[in-house]
Amino acid sequence: MIEVTGLVKNYGTKRAVDGISFKVNRGEILGFLGPNGAGKSTTMKMLTGFIRADAGTASVGGIDVTVDPVAVKRQLGYLPESAPAYPEMTVEEFLSFIAEVRGFRTATAKRERVEHVLGLTHLNSVRSQSIETLSKGYKQRVGFAQALIHNPPALILDEPTDGLDPNQKNEVRALIKNMAAEKAVILSTHILEEVDAICTRVIIIARGRIVADETPAALRARQPGARLDEIFRTLTA
Amino acid sequence: MSQIRPLFKREFLGYFRSPVAYVFLISFLVISVSLAFSRYGNFFKNGTASLESYFIFFPWLFMFIVPAVGMRLWSEEKRAGTIELLFTLPITTLEAVLGKFLAGWAFLTLAILLSFPMALTVGFLGQPDWGVMAATYLGAILMAGAYLGICALTSALTKNQVISFVLSLAACAVFVFLGLSSFTTTLESILPVSVADMVSNFSFVTHFDAFTKGIIDPKDVIFFLSLMGFTLVLNVVALER
């Protein structure tokens, strides 16, 4: 579903992403791990077509993002880091706007999609509140709802549980897990327990390069008995 | 291009979701009407049934007021990070640029048309030439679009709204000052008259003047439209770079 080959991105003289390649199939949840500044978000931004890669290709559903970015964006649900949204809009207005841009033009189709994601992400109680008045957890859920509204075959989530309390984290994880059967999911995180909880595969990147690409079980087996964060530190040091 | 509609709608209604629209519309009308009634406008003293004393200040007024509308178009998206959301939706840069520009232009058009009580007043007090008035309104709307094109472009260059406002103001000022007689006289003393003429032809004032006299000259219409087109193309380039 998602295929990335040899992606490179330079910022000035600094190489942020240095030849990253991987594949994600439907039914997989790929955990994207790495220290801050390792190139996680940059890789995701190149994959979504928001920034252009200096080399390499990224494709979703067989469509190259540099050839037909709009077609790729149609297939993707993307939650950017810290879930930006238009603060002056209410949750409902915002989701309606996204639904409309996502191609649900009739009032009934739009309402049906908005109701569906409002229920899915438990946002019904704040539907008429403007987004600027929401707490961080709710904002994050609005971002999540926005990414799911068109039921995309591929989901890219940049730190989806960031800023949520433990209960909300659990809820979001359960949600991702439930949907994953028919979707290809990439989520970036620096919470190691999250990887254990929901990911079927882990990629660890450090200084723009992949240093591990395996199942969470295989990652644990690298240093039997060690905690995940110790393994993470050894790999990224 | 069907994606322009939802973007337009969001942007246009966005003005009214915050106090911005109301503050803007009220200040615009208060300032423009007071200028017409002031001793510089001489709306009553002129004794003519026309809105010339009202519209004569528009190139100057727009210099400040259009950047106030245009400065947020892209700067705000960049600052709030919503630009990342916007450009990962299935839209092209051109659609986004057009949707936003048209919304801002529609808002400015609304502000201009809300001066209709002035037109009614003139109609009540005398027998104005409605054709001239309609031409002036058309000219003002076209000129607002050209100003907005410049402001949208400068807004795409920075995420700081203050910088965006100052850049827009400076760029718009150039287009106003080019047409001032004192400026063109100075220019003619240094440059050949033909070159000075060409430079002053880029002024908003020169092109708007014809409309206020009731003349809809294709060259003025094309000037404003092509300036809009040019700035919008640059806007796309600035966002895609």
mmCIF file of all heavy atoms in Angstrom, chain A residues 45 48 50 52 70 73-74 78 80 84-86 88-89 93-94 97 100-102 105 110 146, chain B residues 2-3 5-7 9-10 17 77 80-92 240:
data_model
loop_
_atom_site.group_PDB
_atom_site.id
_atom_site.type_symbol
_atom_site.label_atom_id
_atom_site.label_comp_id
_atom_site.label_asym_id
_atom_site.label_seq_id
_atom_site.Cartn_x
_atom_site.Cartn_y
_atom_site.Cartn_z
ATOM 1 N N LYS A 45 6.172 13.930 6.025
ATOM 2 C CA LYS A 45 5.766 15.073 5.194
ATOM 3 C C LYS A 45 6.076 14.821 3.719
ATOM 4 O O LYS A 45 5.337 15.259 2.844
ATOM 5 C CB LYS A 45 6.476 16.339 5.665
ATOM 6 C CG LYS A 45 5.826 16.916 6.903
ATOM 7 C CD LYS A 45 6.547 18.142 7.410
ATOM 8 C CE LYS A 45 5.937 18.548 8.725
ATOM 9 N NZ LYS A 45 6.806 19.401 9.521
ATOM 10 N N THR A 48 3.412 12.441 2.377
ATOM 11 C CA THR A 48 2.099 13.054 2.144
ATOM 12 C C THR A 48 2.140 14.083 1.019
ATOM 13 O O THR A 48 1.113 14.640 0.666
ATOM 14 C CB THR A 48 1.605 13.787 3.405
ATOM 15 O OG1 THR A 48 2.607 14.721 3.798
ATOM 16 C CG2 THR A 48 1.342 12.826 4.529
ATOM 17 N N PHE A 50 3.593 16.975 1.208
ATOM 18 C CA PHE A 50 3.629 18.350 1.709
ATOM 19 C C PHE A 50 4.970 19.006 1.421
ATOM 20 O O PHE A 50 5.023 20.176 1.083
ATOM 21 C CB PHE A 50 3.330 18.386 3.215
ATOM 22 C CG PHE A 50 3.362 19.770 3.788
ATOM 23 C CD1 PHE A 50 2.465 20.730 3.353
ATOM 24 C CD2 PHE A 50 4.301 20.131 4.746
ATOM 25 C CE1 PHE A 50 2.495 22.025 3.848
ATOM 26 C CE2 PHE A 50 4.333 21.425 5.256
ATOM 27 C CZ PHE A 50 3.428 22.363 4.810
ATOM 28 N N ARG A 52 8.783 18.379 -0.788
ATOM 29 C CA ARG A 52 9.324 17.591 -1.879
ATOM 30 C C ARG A 52 10.624 16.918 -1.452
ATOM 31 O O ARG A 52 11.450 17.526 -0.777
ATOM 32 C CB ARG A 52 9.592 18.516 -3.069
ATOM 33 C CG ARG A 52 9.076 17.929 -4.368
ATOM 34 C CD ARG A 52 9.102 18.959 -5.471
ATOM 35 N NE ARG A 52 8.011 19.922 -5.346
ATOM 36 C CZ ARG A 52 8.091 21.177 -5.763
ATOM 37 N NH1 ARG A 52 9.194 21.649 -6.300
ATOM 38 N NH2 ARG A 52 7.051 21.985 -5.654
ATOM 39 N N VAL A 70 -2.193 14.901 -5.926
ATOM 40 C CA VAL A 70 -3.594 15.018 -5.504
ATOM 41 C C VAL A 70 -4.226 13.629 -5.344
ATOM 42 O O VAL A 70 -4.958 13.369 -4.381
ATOM 43 C CB VAL A 70 -4.392 15.904 -6.486
ATOM 44 C CG1 VAL A 70 -5.877 15.882 -6.154
ATOM 45 C CG2 VAL A 70 -3.875 17.344 -6.429
ATOM 46 N N LYS A 73 -3.026 12.170 -2.143
ATOM 47 C CA LYS A 73 -3.658 12.816 -0.985
ATOM 48 C C LYS A 73 -5.088 12.321 -0.783
ATOM 49 O O LYS A 73 -5.593 12.299 0.328
ATOM 50 C CB LYS A 73 -3.633 14.336 -1.146
ATOM 51 C CG LYS A 73 -2.232 14.904 -0.945
ATOM 52 C CD LYS A 73 -2.116 16.337 -1.406
ATOM 53 C CE LYS A 73 -0.643 16.756 -1.388
ATOM 54 N NZ LYS A 73 -0.445 18.115 -1.886
ATOM 55 N N ARG A 74 -5.729 11.930 -1.889
ATOM 56 C CA ARG A 74 -7.092 11.405 -1.782
ATOM 57 C C ARG A 74 -7.124 10.086 -0.996
ATOM 58 O O ARG A 74 -8.090 9.771 -0.331
ATOM 59 C CB ARG A 74 -7.645 11.184 -3.193
ATOM 60 C CG ARG A 74 -8.907 12.001 -3.442
ATOM 61 C CD ARG A 74 -9.415 11.827 -4.844
ATOM 62 N NE ARG A 74 -9.273 13.089 -5.552
ATOM 63 C CZ ARG A 74 -8.741 13.230 -6.746
ATOM 64 N NH1 ARG A 74 -8.268 12.174 -7.394
ATOM 65 N NH2 ARG A 74 -8.662 14.420 -7.299
ATOM 66 N N TYR A 78 -4.221 12.006 7.067
ATOM 67 C CA TYR A 78 -2.972 12.464 7.691
ATOM 68 C C TYR A 78 -3.279 13.307 8.916
ATOM 69 O O TYR A 78 -4.079 14.247 8.863
ATOM 70 C CB TYR A 78 -2.175 13.284 6.665
ATOM 71 C CG TYR A 78 -0.901 13.914 7.183
ATOM 72 C CD1 TYR A 78 0.015 13.177 7.943
ATOM 73 C CD2 TYR A 78 -0.593 15.241 6.895
ATOM 74 C CE1 TYR A 78 1.190 13.756 8.402
ATOM 75 C CE2 TYR A 78 0.588 15.824 7.336
ATOM 76 C CZ TYR A 78 1.480 15.077 8.091
ATOM 77 O OH TYR A 78 2.625 15.643 8.541
ATOM 78 N N PRO A 80 -1.269 15.727 11.101
ATOM 79 C CA PRO A 80 0.027 16.380 11.290
ATOM 80 C C PRO A 80 0.363 16.500 12.780
ATOM 81 O O PRO A 80 -0.525 16.414 13.618
ATOM 82 C CB PRO A 80 -0.175 17.772 10.681
ATOM 83 C CG PRO A 80 -1.431 17.704 9.893
ATOM 84 C CD PRO A 80 -2.263 16.648 10.531
ATOM 85 N N PRO A 84 -2.974 20.558 13.821
ATOM 86 C CA PRO A 84 -3.453 21.913 13.523
ATOM 87 C C PRO A 84 -4.874 21.906 12.961
ATOM 88 O O PRO A 84 -5.256 21.000 12.234
ATOM 89 C CB PRO A 84 -2.467 22.409 12.461
ATOM 90 C CG PRO A 84 -1.910 21.179 11.840
ATOM 91 C CD PRO A 84 -1.886 20.147 12.919
ATOM 92 N N ALA A 85 -5.661 22.919 13.356
ATOM 93 C CA ALA A 85 -7.025 23.066 12.835
ATOM 94 C C ALA A 85 -7.371 24.546 12.907
ATOM 95 O O ALA A 85 -6.714 25.300 13.627
ATOM 96 C CB ALA A 85 -8.002 22.257 13.662
ATOM 97 N N TYR A 86 -8.399 24.957 12.166
ATOM 98 C CA TYR A 86 -8.774 26.373 12.173
ATOM 99 C C TYR A 86 -9.467 26.713 13.488
ATOM 100 O O TYR A 86 -10.575 26.243 13.746
ATOM 101 C CB TYR A 86 -9.668 26.685 10.982
ATOM 102 C CG TYR A 86 -8.945 26.480 9.673
ATOM 103 C CD1 TYR A 86 -9.200 25.377 8.875
ATOM 104 C CD2 TYR A 86 -7.961 27.378 9.269
ATOM 105 C CE1 TYR A 86 -8.504 25.172 7.695
ATOM 106 C CE2 TYR A 86 -7.259 27.182 8.094
ATOM 107 C CZ TYR A 86 -7.537 26.082 7.314
ATOM 108 O OH TYR A 86 -6.830 25.888 6.159
ATOM 109 N N GLU A 88 -11.050 29.191 14.852
ATOM 110 C CA GLU A 88 -12.307 29.930 15.009
ATOM 111 C C GLU A 88 -13.523 29.104 14.585
ATOM 112 O O GLU A 88 -14.654 29.498 14.837
ATOM 113 C CB GLU A 88 -12.229 31.264 14.252
ATOM 114 C CG GLU A 88 -12.303 31.190 12.728
ATOM 115 C CD GLU A 88 -11.001 30.734 12.061
ATOM 116 O OE1 GLU A 88 -10.012 30.489 12.780
ATOM 117 O OE2 GLU A 88 -10.987 30.590 10.823
ATOM 118 N N MET A 89 -13.272 27.946 13.960
ATOM 119 C CA MET A 89 -14.405 27.115 13.528
ATOM 120 C C MET A 89 -14.853 26.199 14.658
ATOM 121 O O MET A 89 -14.046 25.818 15.501
ATOM 122 C CB MET A 89 -13.985 26.239 12.342
ATOM 123 C CG MET A 89 -13.657 26.992 11.082
ATOM 124 S SD MET A 89 -13.083 25.859 9.793
ATOM 125 C CE MET A 89 -14.460 25.931 8.684
ATOM 126 N N GLU A 93 -18.270 22.459 12.091
ATOM 127 C CA GLU A 93 -17.973 23.246 10.879
ATOM 128 C C GLU A 93 -16.673 22.776 10.244
ATOM 129 O O GLU A 93 -16.575 22.615 9.028
ATOM 130 C CB GLU A 93 -17.827 24.729 11.229
ATOM 131 C CG GLU A 93 -19.116 25.451 11.502
ATOM 132 C CD GLU A 93 -18.905 26.832 12.133
ATOM 133 O OE1 GLU A 93 -17.778 27.140 12.604
ATOM 134 O OE2 GLU A 93 -19.867 27.595 12.169
ATOM 135 N N PHE A 94 -15.685 22.547 11.095
ATOM 136 C CA PHE A 94 -14.381 22.140 10.604
ATOM 137 C C PHE A 94 -14.456 20.781 9.899
ATOM 138 O O PHE A 94 -13.960 20.621 8.782
ATOM 139 C CB PHE A 94 -13.387 22.095 11.771
ATOM 140 C CG PHE A 94 -12.030 21.582 11.399
ATOM 141 C CD1 PHE A 94 -11.197 22.316 10.564
ATOM 142 C CD2 PHE A 94 -11.573 20.357 11.871
ATOM 143 C CE1 PHE A 94 -9.940 21.846 10.214
ATOM 144 C CE2 PHE A 94 -10.322 19.878 11.528
ATOM 145 C CZ PHE A 94 -9.511 20.622 10.703
ATOM 146 N N PHE A 97 -16.195 21.035 6.610
ATOM 147 C CA PHE A 97 -15.306 21.604 5.595
ATOM 148 C C PHE A 97 -14.384 20.522 5.027
ATOM 149 O O PHE A 97 -14.246 20.384 3.806
ATOM 150 C CB PHE A 97 -14.489 22.755 6.195
ATOM 151 C CG PHE A 97 -13.250 23.129 5.416
ATOM 152 C CD1 PHE A 97 -13.353 23.689 4.155
ATOM 153 C CD2 PHE A 97 -11.991 22.904 5.945
ATOM 154 C CE1 PHE A 97 -12.209 24.023 3.428
ATOM 155 C CE2 PHE A 97 -10.848 23.224 5.231
ATOM 156 C CZ PHE A 97 -10.960 23.783 3.971
ATOM 157 N N GLU A 100 -16.249 18.158 2.816
ATOM 158 C CA GLU A 100 -16.570 18.755 1.519
ATOM 159 C C GLU A 100 -15.350 18.719 0.594
ATOM 160 O O GLU A 100 -15.466 18.351 -0.574
ATOM 161 C CB GLU A 100 -17.051 20.196 1.727
ATOM 162 C CG GLU A 100 -17.902 20.690 0.579
ATOM 163 C CD GLU A 100 -18.531 22.041 0.869
ATOM 164 O OE1 GLU A 100 -18.731 22.377 2.045
ATOM 165 O OE2 GLU A 100 -18.801 22.762 -0.110
ATOM 166 N N VAL A 101 -14.200 19.097 1.128
ATOM 167 C CA VAL A 101 -12.988 19.057 0.296
ATOM 168 C C VAL A 101 -12.644 17.616 -0.077
ATOM 169 O O VAL A 101 -12.102 17.349 -1.143
ATOM 170 C CB VAL A 101 -11.789 19.717 1.026
ATOM 171 C CG1 VAL A 101 -10.548 19.680 0.163
ATOM 172 C CG2 VAL A 101 -12.099 21.142 1.408
ATOM 173 N N ARG A 102 -12.988 16.688 0.794
ATOM 174 C CA ARG A 102 -12.717 15.278 0.534
ATOM 175 C C ARG A 102 -13.725 14.659 -0.426
ATOM 176 O O ARG A 102 -13.727 13.447 -0.643
ATOM 177 C CB ARG A 102 -12.720 14.491 1.851
ATOM 178 C CG ARG A 102 -11.515 14.759 2.734
ATOM 179 C CD ARG A 102 -10.292 14.095 2.197
ATOM 180 N NE ARG A 102 -9.135 14.211 3.073
ATOM 181 C CZ ARG A 102 -7.911 13.857 2.703
ATOM 182 N NH1 ARG A 102 -7.693 13.383 1.504
ATOM 183 N NH2 ARG A 102 -6.903 13.986 3.525
ATOM 184 N N ARG A 105 -20.090 16.056 -1.260
ATOM 185 C CA ARG A 105 -20.641 17.364 -1.602
ATOM 186 C C ARG A 105 -22.083 17.571 -1.156
ATOM 187 O O ARG A 105 -22.476 18.668 -0.824
ATOM 188 C CB ARG A 105 -20.531 17.603 -3.115
ATOM 189 C CG ARG A 105 -19.108 17.897 -3.567
ATOM 190 C CD ARG A 105 -18.615 19.194 -2.947
ATOM 191 N NE ARG A 105 -17.165 19.233 -2.822
ATOM 192 C CZ ARG A 105 -16.330 19.650 -3.749
ATOM 193 N NH1 ARG A 105 -16.780 20.069 -4.897
ATOM 194 N NH2 ARG A 105 -15.032 19.648 -3.535
ATOM 195 N N LYS A 110 -22.371 14.611 3.574
ATOM 196 C CA LYS A 110 -21.479 15.325 4.476
ATOM 197 C C LYS A 110 -21.866 15.043 5.927
ATOM 198 O O LYS A 110 -21.024 14.710 6.752
ATOM 199 C CB LYS A 110 -21.595 16.829 4.197
ATOM 200 C CG LYS A 110 -20.272 17.475 4.010
ATOM 201 C CD LYS A 110 -20.264 18.914 3.596
ATOM 202 C CE LYS A 110 -21.527 19.689 3.572
ATOM 203 N NZ LYS A 110 -21.343 21.073 3.148
ATOM 204 N N GLN A 146 -10.594 14.246 11.555
ATOM 205 C CA GLN A 146 -10.357 14.833 10.242
ATOM 206 C C GLN A 146 -9.618 13.858 9.315
ATOM 207 O O GLN A 146 -9.914 13.761 8.125
ATOM 208 C CB GLN A 146 -9.605 16.155 10.491
ATOM 209 C CG GLN A 146 -8.838 16.779 9.382
ATOM 210 C CD GLN A 146 -7.491 16.146 9.192
ATOM 211 O OE1 GLN A 146 -7.178 15.691 8.106
ATOM 212 N NE2 GLN A 146 -6.674 16.092 10.236
ATOM 213 N N SER B 2 -13.317 22.334 -8.975
ATOM 214 C CA SER B 2 -14.501 22.278 -8.109
ATOM 215 C C SER B 2 -14.107 22.410 -6.639
ATOM 216 O O SER B 2 -14.941 22.660 -5.780
ATOM 217 C CB SER B 2 -15.229 20.954 -8.312
ATOM 218 O OG SER B 2 -14.385 19.892 -7.902
ATOM 219 N N GLN B 3 -12.807 22.251 -6.361
ATOM 220 C CA GLN B 3 -12.342 22.360 -4.982
ATOM 221 C C GLN B 3 -12.283 23.808 -4.492
ATOM 222 O O GLN B 3 -12.098 24.056 -3.308
ATOM 223 C CB GLN B 3 -10.947 21.732 -4.848
ATOM 224 C CG GLN B 3 -10.887 20.261 -5.101
ATOM 225 C CD GLN B 3 -11.554 19.457 -3.994
ATOM 226 O OE1 GLN B 3 -12.712 19.670 -3.668
ATOM 227 N NE2 GLN B 3 -10.829 18.524 -3.410
ATOM 228 N N ARG B 5 -14.678 25.942 -4.419
ATOM 229 C CA ARG B 5 -15.887 26.323 -3.692
ATOM 230 C C ARG B 5 -15.785 26.122 -2.169
ATOM 231 O O ARG B 5 -16.006 27.075 -1.420
ATOM 232 C CB ARG B 5 -17.098 25.585 -4.262
ATOM 233 C CG ARG B 5 -18.365 26.398 -4.112
ATOM 234 C CD ARG B 5 -19.563 25.614 -4.531
ATOM 235 N NE ARG B 5 -19.792 24.540 -3.582
ATOM 236 C CZ ARG B 5 -20.855 23.745 -3.596
ATOM 237 N NH1 ARG B 5 -21.758 23.890 -4.531
ATOM 238 N NH2 ARG B 5 -21.001 22.800 -2.705
ATOM 239 N N PRO B 6 -15.434 24.909 -1.699
ATOM 240 C CA PRO B 6 -15.338 24.770 -0.234
ATOM 241 C C PRO B 6 -14.273 25.673 0.384
ATOM 242 O O PRO B 6 -14.462 26.185 1.492
ATOM 243 C CB PRO B 6 -14.995 23.290 -0.024
ATOM 244 C CG PRO B 6 -14.622 22.749 -1.351
ATOM 245 C CD PRO B 6 -15.264 23.615 -2.379
ATOM 246 N N LEU B 7 -13.171 25.889 -0.334
ATOM 247 C CA LEU B 7 -12.115 26.745 0.201
ATOM 248 C C LEU B 7 -12.588 28.183 0.292
ATOM 249 O O LEU B 7 -12.359 28.885 1.273
ATOM 250 C CB LEU B 7 -10.865 26.674 -0.695
ATOM 251 C CG LEU B 7 -10.199 25.305 -0.798
ATOM 252 C CD1 LEU B 7 -9.088 25.334 -1.834
ATOM 253 C CD2 LEU B 7 -9.630 24.889 0.542
ATOM 254 N N LYS B 9 -15.680 29.199 0.516
ATOM 255 C CA LYS B 9 -16.707 29.298 1.543
ATOM 256 C C LYS B 9 -16.083 29.394 2.943
ATOM 257 O O LYS B 9 -16.462 30.235 3.750
ATOM 258 C CB LYS B 9 -17.605 28.050 1.470
ATOM 259 C CG LYS B 9 -19.021 28.289 1.916
ATOM 260 C CD LYS B 9 -19.917 27.130 1.525
ATOM 261 C CE LYS B 9 -19.679 25.926 2.407
ATOM 262 N NZ LYS B 9 -20.503 24.773 2.070
ATOM 263 N N ARG B 10 -15.098 28.538 3.198
ATOM 264 C CA ARG B 10 -14.471 28.537 4.518
ATOM 265 C C ARG B 10 -13.786 29.868 4.798
ATOM 266 O O ARG B 10 -13.909 30.447 5.859
ATOM 267 C CB ARG B 10 -13.436 27.418 4.634
ATOM 268 C CG ARG B 10 -13.013 27.147 6.050
ATOM 269 C CD ARG B 10 -11.608 26.595 6.143
ATOM 270 N NE ARG B 10 -10.608 27.602 5.845
ATOM 271 C CZ ARG B 10 -10.245 28.567 6.671
ATOM 272 N NH1 ARG B 10 -10.776 28.667 7.855
ATOM 273 N NH2 ARG B 10 -9.343 29.458 6.314
ATOM 274 N N ARG B 17 -16.430 34.757 11.343
ATOM 275 C CA ARG B 17 -16.392 33.932 12.550
ATOM 276 C C ARG B 17 -15.614 34.635 13.652
ATOM 277 O O ARG B 17 -15.666 34.242 14.800
ATOM 278 C CB ARG B 17 -15.735 32.581 12.248
ATOM 279 C CG ARG B 17 -16.640 31.679 11.457
ATOM 280 C CD ARG B 17 -16.197 30.235 11.510
ATOM 281 N NE ARG B 17 -17.116 29.442 10.700
ATOM 282 C CZ ARG B 17 -16.844 29.015 9.477
ATOM 283 N NH1 ARG B 17 -15.669 29.273 8.934
ATOM 284 N NH2 ARG B 17 -17.729 28.335 8.796
ATOM 285 N N GLU B 77 -2.072 30.905 8.090
ATOM 286 C CA GLU B 77 -2.015 29.451 7.858
ATOM 287 C C GLU B 77 -0.634 28.911 8.234
ATOM 288 O O GLU B 77 -0.508 27.824 8.779
ATOM 289 C CB GLU B 77 -2.275 29.130 6.383
ATOM 290 C CG GLU B 77 -3.643 29.503 5.892
ATOM 291 C CD GLU B 77 -4.631 28.332 5.902
ATOM 292 O OE1 GLU B 77 -4.242 27.209 6.244
ATOM 293 O OE2 GLU B 77 -5.804 28.578 5.577
ATOM 294 N N ALA B 80 -0.153 29.109 12.180
ATOM 295 C CA ALA B 80 -0.951 28.132 12.927
ATOM 296 C C ALA B 80 -0.644 26.692 12.502
ATOM 297 O O ALA B 80 -1.097 25.759 13.145
ATOM 298 C CB ALA B 80 -2.432 28.431 12.739
ATOM 299 N N GLY B 81 0.118 26.522 11.443
ATOM 300 C CA GLY B 81 0.450 25.169 10.982
ATOM 301 C C GLY B 81 -0.656 24.536 10.158
ATOM 302 O O GLY B 81 -0.527 23.394 9.708
ATOM 303 N N THR B 82 -1.768 25.250 9.952
ATOM 304 C CA THR B 82 -2.876 24.675 9.188
ATOM 305 C C THR B 82 -2.520 24.536 7.716
ATOM 306 O O THR B 82 -3.203 23.823 6.987
ATOM 307 C CB THR B 82 -4.146 25.537 9.317
ATOM 308 O OG1 THR B 82 -3.783 26.901 9.214
ATOM 309 C CG2 THR B 82 -4.831 25.298 10.643
ATOM 310 N N ILE B 83 -1.440 25.192 7.289
ATOM 311 C CA ILE B 83 -1.020 25.071 5.893
ATOM 312 C C ILE B 83 -0.669 23.617 5.577
ATOM 313 O O ILE B 83 -0.896 23.134 4.470
ATOM 314 C CB ILE B 83 0.155 26.040 5.592
ATOM 315 C CG1 ILE B 83 0.365 26.138 4.095
ATOM 316 C CG2 ILE B 83 1.435 25.640 6.315
ATOM 317 C CD1 ILE B 83 1.045 27.396 3.650
ATOM 318 N N GLU B 84 -0.162 22.901 6.577
ATOM 319 C CA GLU B 84 0.191 21.501 6.390
ATOM 320 C C GLU B 84 -1.076 20.660 6.200
ATOM 321 O O GLU B 84 -1.113 19.730 5.389
ATOM 322 C CB GLU B 84 0.979 20.999 7.596
ATOM 323 C CG GLU B 84 1.601 19.650 7.366
ATOM 324 C CD GLU B 84 2.543 19.241 8.482
ATOM 325 O OE1 GLU B 84 2.912 20.099 9.310
ATOM 326 O OE2 GLU B 84 2.898 18.063 8.535
ATOM 327 N N LEU B 85 -2.108 21.040 6.938
ATOM 328 C CA LEU B 85 -3.398 20.363 6.804
ATOM 329 C C LEU B 85 -3.982 20.643 5.423
ATOM 330 O O LEU B 85 -4.405 19.753 4.699
ATOM 331 C CB LEU B 85 -4.330 20.880 7.895
ATOM 332 C CG LEU B 85 -5.708 20.280 7.932
ATOM 333 C CD1 LEU B 85 -5.663 18.989 8.723
ATOM 334 C CD2 LEU B 85 -6.685 21.237 8.555
ATOM 335 N N LEU B 86 -3.956 21.929 5.062
ATOM 336 C CA LEU B 86 -4.538 22.378 3.797
ATOM 337 C C LEU B 86 -3.886 21.681 2.603
ATOM 338 O O LEU B 86 -4.567 21.182 1.712
ATOM 339 C CB LEU B 86 -4.366 23.898 3.690
ATOM 340 C CG LEU B 86 -5.067 24.591 2.535
ATOM 341 C CD1 LEU B 86 -6.573 24.505 2.722
ATOM 342 C CD2 LEU B 86 -4.644 26.047 2.450
ATOM 343 N N PHE B 87 -2.551 21.630 2.612
ATOM 344 C CA PHE B 87 -1.858 21.079 1.451
ATOM 345 C C PHE B 87 -1.668 19.563 1.512
ATOM 346 O O PHE B 87 -0.969 18.991 0.690
ATOM 347 C CB PHE B 87 -0.540 21.806 1.217
ATOM 348 C CG PHE B 87 -0.761 23.155 0.588
ATOM 349 C CD1 PHE B 87 -0.228 24.306 1.145
ATOM 350 C CD2 PHE B 87 -1.546 23.273 -0.552
ATOM 351 C CE1 PHE B 87 -0.467 25.545 0.575
ATOM 352 C CE2 PHE B 87 -1.795 24.506 -1.124
ATOM 353 C CZ PHE B 87 -1.247 25.645 -0.562
ATOM 354 N N THR B 88 -2.294 18.908 2.495
ATOM 355 C CA THR B 88 -2.349 17.449 2.428
ATOM 356 C C THR B 88 -3.784 17.009 2.133
ATOM 357 O O THR B 88 -4.101 15.839 2.158
ATOM 358 C CB THR B 88 -1.822 16.794 3.724
ATOM 359 O OG1 THR B 88 -2.395 17.448 4.846
ATOM 360 C CG2 THR B 88 -0.327 16.908 3.804
ATOM 361 N N LEU B 89 -4.648 18.007 1.857
ATOM 362 C CA LEU B 89 -5.979 17.693 1.338
ATOM 363 C C LEU B 89 -5.850 17.587 -0.180
ATOM 364 O O LEU B 89 -4.914 18.144 -0.753
ATOM 365 C CB LEU B 89 -6.964 18.819 1.710
ATOM 366 C CG LEU B 89 -7.320 18.942 3.191
ATOM 367 C CD1 LEU B 89 -8.127 20.201 3.446
ATOM 368 C CD2 LEU B 89 -8.086 17.727 3.662
ATOM 369 N N PRO B 90 -6.769 16.880 -0.825
ATOM 370 C CA PRO B 90 -6.627 16.700 -2.281
ATOM 371 C C PRO B 90 -6.955 17.958 -3.082
ATOM 372 O O PRO B 90 -7.961 18.028 -3.776
ATOM 373 C CB PRO B 90 -7.606 15.560 -2.591
ATOM 374 C CG PRO B 90 -8.615 15.601 -1.501
ATOM 375 C CD PRO B 90 -7.926 16.138 -0.299
ATOM 376 N N ILE B 91 -6.108 18.975 -2.967
ATOM 377 C CA ILE B 91 -6.294 20.204 -3.737
ATOM 378 C C ILE B 91 -4.954 20.598 -4.346
ATOM 379 O O ILE B 91 -3.914 20.232 -3.830
ATOM 380 C CB ILE B 91 -6.790 21.374 -2.869
ATOM 381 C CG1 ILE B 91 -5.871 21.578 -1.658
ATOM 382 C CG2 ILE B 91 -8.208 21.152 -2.399
ATOM 383 C CD1 ILE B 91 -6.113 22.853 -0.914
ATOM 384 N N THR B 92 -5.023 21.370 -5.434
ATOM 385 C CA THR B 92 -3.772 21.866 -6.007
ATOM 386 C C THR B 92 -3.487 23.247 -5.401
ATOM 387 O O THR B 92 -4.376 23.887 -4.844
ATOM 388 C CB THR B 92 -3.890 22.016 -7.528
ATOM 389 O OG1 THR B 92 -4.944 22.943 -7.790
ATOM 390 C CG2 THR B 92 -4.218 20.700 -8.204
ATOM 391 N N GLU B 240 4.908 27.067 -3.686
ATOM 392 C CA GLU B 240 5.427 25.764 -4.111
ATOM 393 C C GLU B 240 6.932 25.642 -3.985
ATOM 394 O O GLU B 240 7.468 24.555 -4.062
ATOM 395 C CB GLU B 240 4.994 25.465 -5.555
ATOM 396 C CG GLU B 240 3.562 25.012 -5.608
ATOM 397 C CD GLU B 240 3.148 24.469 -6.957
ATOM 398 O OE1 GLU B 240 3.865 24.743 -7.938
ATOM 399 O OE2 GLU B 240 2.105 23.806 -7.018
#
